[in-house]
Amino acid sequence: MKKKSERLAPVLKLETMKEKNAVINYADARSRLDLEQNKLQQLIDYSQEYQLMVERKGREGISATQLHSLHQFLHKLNGAIAQQQEQLLLAQDEAEQKEQSWLLQRGATKNMEKLVARHAKSERQDSDKKEQKALDEQSLQTWHGYL
């Protein structure tokens, strides 16, 4: 009959695989979060540059129609920034959820590792006791043989 630690080995392997998948999912979510942050920063940077350009053109003197068109585009750009901020919040939520899933799975894996280690230690101790008992009996028989 297999030892309990040996019977638990496939369960530990499964928990380890689940943890690896959770890590991959978390890394993917973090990558998406970084991408969304970069997109937002690019939009903000572009908006700031565009606003400076609108102000400069306004000082240089442009028609009201052109100024209105520039302000409309700036308004659309601000809308895009708001949408990107929403995307960023969604990506942050997803990353937090994936991190929590990973941490929970990591805990499950650690617990299984501890359980397997505890059983393996117990099995080694039992084996050592049996071996010591056998050696003691052999020594006792040898001792009785000399008498």
Side-chain angles (χ1 to χ4, degrees):
M1 183 171 162
K2 281 188 174 183
K3 296 178 181 179
K4 193 162 192 171
S5 63
E6 292 172 349
R7 291 191 314 263
L8 289 173
V11 177
L12 176 58
K13 185 176 180 180
L14 178 63
E15 292 297 324
T16 302
M17 286 173 41
K18 286 180 184 178
E19 182 185 353
K20 286 179 183 178
N21 287 336
V23 166
I24 290 168
N25 290 338
Y26 175 51
D28 289 346
R30 285 295 308 180
S31 293
R32 180 171 176 252
L33 177 59
D34 291 344
L35 179 67
E36 298 299 336
Q37 286 173 328
N38 287 338
K39 285 180 184 178
L40 178 59
Q41 190 58 52
Q42 287 175 349
L43 284 170
I44 290 171
D45 292 346
Y46 183 67
S47 175
Q48 290 171 345
E49 290 172 17
Y50 194 81
Q51 184 137 10
L52 289 173
M53 189 262 311
V54 168
E55 290 172 6
R56 183 177 40 83
K57 286 195 179 229
R59 283 191 303 270
E60 292 173 358
I62 59 171
S63 72
T65 306
Q66 287 175 321
L67 187 58
H68 180 71
S69 293
L70 294 173
H71 278 289
Q72 280 184 324
F73 181 75
L74 193 54
H75 180 70
K76 288 180 182 179
L77 190 54
N78 287 334
I81 289 171
Q83 286 179 334
Q84 187 57 37
Q85 287 170 331
E86 289 176 24
Q87 289 300 311
L88 180 60
L89 289 175
L90 291 173
Q92 286 172 334
D93 288 344
E94 181 184 8
E96 288 171 8
Q97 289 173 357
K98 298 296 182 180
E99 180 181 25
Q100 287 304 311
S101 294
W102 166 59
L103 291 173
L104 286 172
Q105 186 56 51
R106 181 67 189 136
T109 302
K110 282 288 188 191
N111 288 338
M112 185 54 64
E113 287 172 349
K114 288 176 185 177
L115 181 63
V116 170
R118 190 169 59 239
H119 282 292
K121 181 180 177 183
S122 176
E123 291 161 2
R124 277 192 309 275
Q125 289 172 339
D126 289 347
S127 176
D128 290 348
K129 285 179 186 177
K130 286 179 184 177
E131 186 179 335
Q132 186 61 47
K133 184 177 179 182
L135 289 173
D136 290 347
E137 287 177 6
Q138 185 180 9
S139 294
L140 188 60
Q141 287 176 0
T142 305
W143 176 255
H144 284 286
Y146 287 119
L147 295 177

